[in-house]
Amino acid sequence: QVQLVESGGGLAQPGGSLRLSCAASGSIFSINHMNRMGWYRQAPGKQRELVASITMPGGGTTNYAEFVKGRFTISRDNARNTVYLQMNSLEPEDTAVYYCNAWAIRDYWGQGTQVTVSS
């Protein structure tokens, strides 16, 4: 089992920045089999969509949705089993609930954190 705890959501103005964090914890077996973490988002009335992902623990291959390339950066701290999402140049269209995701034999999800971009 893996538990994911997100933090860092909130309100930002257009053009502003926010940083999301997601810390994973759980059984040694599950953590050792965790080979990918990432962020998804879901806006009202829309399907959940991938924002960015990163492989773990080695390599650190990243994958971004087209709509965040050049604005968002995903990174990780392997020692803390934590993944971050730095979001810059935020747009109102980025408003959504952001969910942390981890793959360790199966998918695990965090509870979600609200990001609102508005002036």
Side-chain angles (χ1 to χ4, degrees), residues 67-73 86-91 94:
F67 53 78
V68 301
K69 283 184 179 178
R71 300 190 299 126
F72 292 8
T73 302
Q86 179 65 44
M87 305 185 294
N88 298 329
S89 302
L90 284 163
E91 304 169 352
D94 296 316

Side-chain angles (χ1 to χ4, degrees), residues 40-114:
Y40 285 70
R41 71 185 188 185
Q42 188 167 19
K46 295 188 177 181
Q47 290 188 332
R48 191 173 297 190
E49 59 186 356
L50 173 69
V51 176
S53 65
I54 186 167
T55 58
M56 303 179 71
T61 302
T62 58
N63 180 40
Y64 293 95
E66 260 325 295
F67 53 78
V68 301
K69 283 184 179 178
R71 300 190 299 126
F72 292 8
T73 302
I74 190 169
S75 60
R76 65 194 181 158
D77 183 335
N78 288 334
R80 292 181 169 84
N81 295 317
T82 298
V83 65
Y84 306 96
L85 185 68
Q86 179 65 44
M87 305 185 294
N88 298 329
S89 302
L90 284 163
E91 304 169 352
E93 293 75 21
D94 296 316
T95 296
V97 178
Y98 284 70
Y99 294 92
C100 181
N101 168 265
W103 175 262
I105 302 176
R106 71 169 185 89
D107 272 321
Y108 293 90
W109 295 93
Q111 78 282 2
T113 184
Q114 177 70 46

